[in-house]
Amino acid sequence: MLEIAGLGHRYDDGHQAVAGVELHVARGELVSIVGPSGCGKSTLLRCVAGLQRPSEGRIAVGGRPVDGVPDDLAVVFQDYTRSLFPWLTVRDNVALPLRRRGLARAQRREQALAALAQVGLDGVAGKYPWQLSGGMQQRVAIARALAYRPALLLMDEPFGSVDAQTREDLEDLLLSVRGGADRGGGSEDRGGMTILLVTHDIDESVYVGDRVVVLTGAPGRVHSELRVELPAPRDQIVTRGLPEFVKLRAEVGRAVRRP
Amino acid sequence: MKRDARSAPGLGPGSGARARSRARSRAAWLAGRGWGRALLGAVGVCGALLAVELVARSGVFDGQALPPASSVLARAAEMAVDEGFLGDVWVTVSAWLSGLGLAVLLAVPAGLLLGSLPRLDTAALAVVELARPIPSVALIPLAILVFVEPDRVERSLVCYAALWPILLNTLYGLRDVDPVAKETLRAFGFGVLGVLWRVSLPSAGPFVVTGVRIAASVGLIVVVSAELRAGGEGGLGVYLLETQSGGGRPDLMVAGACWAGVLGVAANGGLGWVERKPGAAAPGPPHRPGRPRPQTPDGLKEPGGLKR
Amino acid sequence: MKRAERAERAGKMKHVALALLGRSWLLVLLVAAWELAARRAGDLYFPPPTRIVSAMRELWWSGPASRLWLSDRAVDDFVPSLSHLLLGWALAGIVGIAVGVVIGLSRIAYLVLDPVLQFGRAVPPPTLIPFFMVAFGLGTSMQLAAIVFGVVWPVLLNTADGVRAVEPVQLDSARVFGLGGFARLRYVVLPAAAPRIFAGLRVALGFALILMVIAELMGSGDGIGSRLNAAEREFRPDQLWAGIVLLGALGCVLNGLFLLVERKALAWHRGARRMST
């Protein structure tokens, strides 16, 4: 689904954010990318999203090289207060991207409402984002991405600015919609949604990921990869208590701290 | 990451986009340097002059209507050493500045008085808000009847027009004075005047300067308008009007307008500099977060217009 | 229960009345003082307010009730003035927003054009009126040119400023979700810049009134400004005062109407700002 080879990016001011990143993500996989702050996680994500042209290397999404924003891709940004549009209602925020899909107005609204229901936000469709709590706003951002039915979903520290309880709820929401996305319409031959989740929270990377990729600091490069083989369905209390989870967490933690 | 967000490439496929993005990054490199910015600005000025020149010479507008930029510049240069024109400019500037000065002398004490009497403050604001929408140029014919002499007409109108922005900003500035600072001084036994002098005035200072800057640009508009309508011995407006009635040389008129623009830039730049200079006009506390901003006519956040 | 409600409502009304009184007592006092002083002095140049009002009625409000009491003269005066003002304002708005968006979107265009625009803004618009008189003759096009030139700057600079301040994350979101250039402009850039654009348009409306007046004073056959000219020629200070009051009222009304529209269009903005503070 996603191929990254020899990716490097240097900004105009000479700052080298990432260097020599190699990463392959299979269709339907949920890969967590974790690393210390300033290790170029966000740069990596921006390059994959086609928001930024890397100075070296090659990225392909679904076998096609990235040149501009790929078609079947959605992003959930960390900063929900800024990525949602305050002048649109919640429903219109979710429906706006569907213009690209060539749907009629009524269909767009219907899909938007369905996506909102999927994230448990029935009944706030007519409100404005700024009337909702932070966790709910981030749910709207997730609903917007889901309604778009992307093949590849990028999440840039999506739960970074909400409180701990909400964060756990949103993690579980992510795990549940991930399964749900297979059933949602779109092209039938497509497998589940592929998700790339950038986070600085080690627990979170293990808890939601099928695989954890550890980046190390400036310039960011892949330090190690760990496969997460925790039983599904995952549960905030049970899973986090498993010896396997504790062991993985410690391993990721060591990898992050090692220079 | 943020700094690249806007000029990020990827708007179109293929090598064209790549070349475009290279050109963009070169321009961005230029924009990151002080001299580069000056160069780009110079390019814009030259481009604008060239465009006016070409349009004027192409004859899209019939013959005389739009003067070519070169002849406007030539006339403007000649005017700069022409004693007659300089005399006109001086008449305008002196009327402008004296009206402005009078307005400061009237409005600042009035603002201080009204602002420090809480009951009067709201009532005075209501009066001001009602009087302010009257366009000051509407008073020109009345002022001609009342004052007769053109320079008195101009001075009084500039003063009237300049009064409101200064008064309003002084009032807003005083509303904003930190009550803790006032109470602290009171607790140390300073009287009302002492508090006014040591806390209120300094902290309202930046507002007053902004008010004066706005008043200066409004005043320039009013003084020229009054000259155009009231006539008189001399002045920029009189010069322009005489040129217009004496056959109408467009290049001379546009050159005159350009000199008026230079006056405007000078006033705006000078007062804007005072405003930005920390501590000069404002020995008081700097802008507290959440404090109302001075009322600027453009609604622009910063005095320099687009500058950030 | 009922009684408590009534008491509360009465209390509220009392509060409102007191607030109104607190704001307006000085105004009433000043107008009364003016009336008394003007009557006693009998100065021709400073007629009492009642005299001004009667001059206004005589000039503009002596018509039939079916036409809201507007006299023929009122129609002759108001229609050209208002149409010039609104047309010039609208033209300047369109030009200002269009150019402002271009400048706001491109840092390079902004750097290239900034000095030119700053100078253009600093030129006092009335100084160009003699030039416009030669270029366009004495008529509608001269007045429109004066209004458009004077009014375009606040719109343009505010739009550019608003567009430059659009959140990069919002633009990124729009791009990621496949909104093309036009859709981004329509659904993201313009709404995000709308508060600043409205601020510019409101300032421009005030400027437009000033320029309308001065352009009419400089000699054109019709409009409120030429009524002022006539009053000066005929030595009628009361009519001059009537014109001044009328123009002030016009400024108030225009500003009020604009605020009404702005409030409706930017309801989201006020709400969002209330939430964030």
Side-chain angles (χ1 to χ4, degrees):
Chain A
M1 185 66 220
L2 171 66
E3 310 274 327
I4 301 175
L7 179 79
H9 187 73
R10 183 189 284 277
Y11 283 101
D12 287 336
D13 61 4
H15 171 66
Q16 178 93 33
V18 287
V21 171
E22 306 276 338
L23 185 65
H24 301 269
V25 181
R27 191 169 293 256
E29 211 180 357
L30 197 166
V31 173
S32 316
I33 297 179
V34 67
S37 54
C39 72
K41 296 177 298 225
S42 294
T43 305
L44 175 67
L45 218 60
R46 291 180 63 81
C47 290
V48 174
L51 290 171
Q52 208 163 298
R53 191 184 294 274
S55 35
E56 308 152 31
R58 219 177 54 78
I59 303 174
V61 171
R64 291 173 55 184
V66 171
D67 185 18
V69 179
D71 268 340
D72 270 345
L73 177 137
V75 181
V76 175
F77 294 91
Q78 170 182 5
D79 199 343
Y80 47 82
T81 51
R82 294 192 195 150
S83 81
L84 295 175
F85 304 123
W87 51 88
L88 295 179
T89 60
V90 165
R91 183 193 59 204
D92 290 344
N93 259 290
V94 177
L96 180 62
L98 302 176
R99 304 181 70 80
R100 178 86 181 284
R101 298 281 186 245
L103 299 173
R105 193 187 176 84
Q107 261 177 307
R108 290 203 298 262
R109 294 197 164 173
E110 200 177 306
Q111 275 198 23
L113 291 177
L116 283 169
Q118 212 179 345
V119 300
L121 283 182
D122 311 86
V124 300
K127 292 200 173 188
Y128 285 92
W130 37 266
Q131 292 172 314
L132 307 179
S133 70
M136 283 164 98
Q137 289 187 43
Q138 196 57 306
R139 271 170 204 263
V140 175
I142 294 171
R144 178 170 67 173
L146 291 177
Y148 195 62
R149 290 178 188 163
L152 177 61
L153 174 62
L154 306 179
M155 306 184 93
D156 187 1
E157 304 200 12
F159 314 136
S161 28
V162 295
D163 61 86
Q165 177 61 46
T166 312
R167 184 179 189 124
E168 292 186 352
D169 291 347
L170 290 174
E171 286 165 6
D172 288 335
L173 172 70
L174 177 63
L175 289 171
S176 75
V177 296
R178 188 191 162 209
D182 303 58
R183 293 192 299 277
S187 44
E188 297 304 322
D189 57 330
R190 182 163 91 202
M193 198 160 43
T194 311
I195 301 176
L196 206 59
L197 174 93
V198 163
T199 176
H200 59 253
D201 183 319
I202 295 166
D203 277 34
E204 179 173 282
S205 71
V206 176
Y207 179 70
V208 298
D210 297 328
R211 185 152 56 103
V212 178
V213 173
V214 180
L215 290 187
T216 48
R221 53 183 85 236
V222 175
H223 174 274
S224 56
E225 294 188 20
L226 293 102
R227 189 150 288 284
V228 180
E229 271 150 1
L230 294 168
R234 296 186 188 175
D235 177 274
Q236 291 287 0
I237 310 284
V238 177
T239 306
R240 285 177 197 262
L242 294 174
E244 178 71 11
F245 179 88
V246 176
K247 191 173 138 255
L248 274 168
R249 191 181 60 184
E251 256 177 77
V252 175
R254 267 196 297 280
V256 169
R257 280 187 196 93
R258 194 153 40 206
Chain B
M1 185 183 104
K2 287 229 173 71
R3 79 206 108 184
D4 214 324
R6 212 156 295 225
S7 59
L11 288 168
S15 62
R18 207 164 274 272
R20 206 158 56 216
S21 91
R22 205 170 308 135
R24 269 181 198 214
S25 72
R26 201 165 298 154
W29 176 82
L30 214 53
R33 275 144 191 84
W35 61 266
R37 278 195 285 270
L39 185 71
L40 288 172
V43 167
V45 172
C46 295
L49 290 175
L50 198 68
V52 172
E53 182 81 23
L54 288 178
V55 171
R57 297 221 181 266
S58 73
V60 178
F61 297 95
D62 61 325
Q64 300 276 297
L66 187 69
S70 56
S71 66
V72 171
L73 284 180
R75 291 302 89 72
E78 285 167 22
M79 285 162 145
V81 290
D82 179 56
E83 270 181 34
F85 179 74
L86 289 180
D88 281 327
V89 171
W90 174 243
V91 170
T92 299
V93 169
S94 63
W96 178 34
L97 292 183
S98 58
L100 205 58
L102 192 58
V104 173
L105 288 182
L106 287 174
V108 174
L112 285 178
L113 181 69
L114 292 174
S116 39
L117 302 169
R119 260 160 217 270
L120 212 53
D121 164 69
T122 34
L125 264 182
V127 175
V128 173
E129 298 285 0
L130 213 69
R132 195 169 55 149
I134 295 175
S136 38
V137 291
L139 296 172
I140 294 175
L142 182 69
I144 293 173
L145 277 192
V146 174
F147 294 113
V148 186
E149 282 170 52
D151 70 315
R152 284 179 64 199
V153 171
E154 283 140 28
R155 256 161 247 246
S156 56
L157 283 171
V158 170
C159 177
Y160 171 83
L163 214 57
W164 305 117
I166 303 175
L167 183 61
L168 270 182
N169 272 293
T170 309
L171 284 177
Y172 283 128
L174 285 180
R175 282 190 161 191
D176 183 52
V177 175
D178 190 351
V180 177
K182 276 203 280 195
E183 274 154 31
T184 311
L185 233 56
R186 286 249 171 80
F188 281 113
F190 284 88
V192 175
L193 275 178
V195 172
L196 202 65
W197 183 249
R198 271 158 225 274
V199 179
S200 304
L201 192 58
S203 109
F207 282 77
V208 175
V209 178
T210 302
V212 174
R213 185 173 58 82
I214 296 160
S217 56
V218 174
L220 188 58
I221 291 175
V222 169
V223 72
V224 174
S225 304
E227 283 172 351
L228 283 173
R229 185 61 179 66
E233 303 277 309
L236 202 51
V238 176
Y239 172 86
L240 290 169
L241 207 61
E242 277 169 1
T243 316
Q244 183 256 330
S245 55
R249 288 266 307 275
D251 50 349
L252 283 178
M253 286 186 282
V254 175
C258 284
W259 278 115
V262 171
L263 290 182
V265 168
N268 224 335
L271 287 162
W273 178 77
V274 175
E275 243 172 324
R276 278 188 297 273
K277 200 172 157 203
H287 280 250
R288 295 201 312 272
R291 160 179 220 220
R293 292 183 177 280
Q295 302 279 302
T296 60
D298 298 354
L300 284 172
K301 268 185 274 168
E302 280 159 68
L306 275 168
K307 295 274 185 302
R308 324 182 147 204
Chain C
M1 192 64 202
K2 273 262 165 65
R3 187 176 296 173
E5 228 167 66
R6 206 173 307 148
E8 193 186 335
R9 191 176 306 160
K12 206 174 275 174
M13 271 170 70
K14 199 173 155 196
H15 186 77
V16 168
L18 272 180
L20 209 65
L21 195 70
R23 276 179 64 78
S24 58
W25 64 267
L26 186 63
L27 188 69
V28 174
L29 205 71
L30 284 177
V31 171
W34 180 2
E35 179 78 36
L36 284 179
R39 280 190 185 197
R40 181 149 313 161
D43 190 327
L44 201 54
Y45 296 118
F46 295 95
T50 45
R51 179 80 200 81
I52 296 171
V53 171
S54 73
M56 287 179 81
R57 200 163 51 215
E58 174 196 331
L59 275 174
W60 296 300
W61 274 280
S62 51
S66 61
R67 235 173 33 192
L68 291 168
W69 295 278
L70 287 173
S71 62
D72 290 336
R73 192 182 275 177
V75 176
D76 288 351
D77 288 350
F78 296 175
V79 170
S81 284
L82 278 175
S83 59
H84 292 158
L85 180 137
L86 293 175
L87 191 60
W89 178 65
L91 279 175
I94 293 167
V95 173
I97 292 173
V99 179
V101 164
V102 170
I103 292 169
L105 283 178
S106 158
R107 184 167 155 72
I108 303 303
Y110 157 69
L111 286 172
V112 168
L113 289 177
D114 185 50
V116 178
L117 296 179
Q118 293 297 342
F119 185 75
R121 180 171 76 142
V123 173
T127 54
L128 281 170
I129 287 181
F131 166 65
F132 289 142
M133 281 159 79
V134 171
F136 298 107
L138 285 176
T140 301
S141 38
M142 179 277 270
Q143 297 190 20
L144 280 181
I147 294 176
V148 170
F149 178 84
V151 155
V152 76
W153 307 106
V155 184
L156 195 157
L157 294 172
N158 267 288
T159 304
D161 211 33
V163 169
R164 276 158 63 79
V166 176
E167 287 289 343
V169 181
Q170 283 174 352
L171 285 176
D172 282 349
S173 299
R175 281 177 58 192
V176 159
F177 288 107
L179 294 184
F182 182 74
R184 277 212 296 276
L185 193 65
R186 162 85 180 71
Y187 294 104
V188 180
V189 173
L190 285 178
R196 303 303 303 280
I197 296 177
F198 270 93
L201 284 173
R202 198 174 67 237
V203 174
L205 197 56
F207 273 30
L209 185 63
I210 292 179
L211 286 164
M212 177 203 91
V213 172
I214 180 71
E216 286 176 351
L217 284 179
M218 288 306 292
S220 72
D222 45 19
I224 302 168
S226 67
R227 180 67 52 209
L228 289 177
N229 278 343
E232 187 210 335
R233 264 198 318 274
E234 293 159 14
F235 198 72
R236 289 292 299 271
D238 57 333
Q239 291 192 358
L240 279 176
W241 278 99
I244 291 164
V245 172
L246 177 76
L247 287 166
L250 188 60
C252 274
V253 168
L254 287 174
N255 194 46
L257 287 177
F258 186 86
L259 277 177
L260 225 60
V261 174
E262 182 181 293
R263 236 159 226 260
K264 201 151 175 54
L266 296 182
W268 64 267
H269 183 244
R270 288 190 305 143
R273 234 185 10 196
R274 243 198 332 266
M275 283 293 156
S276 68
T277 50

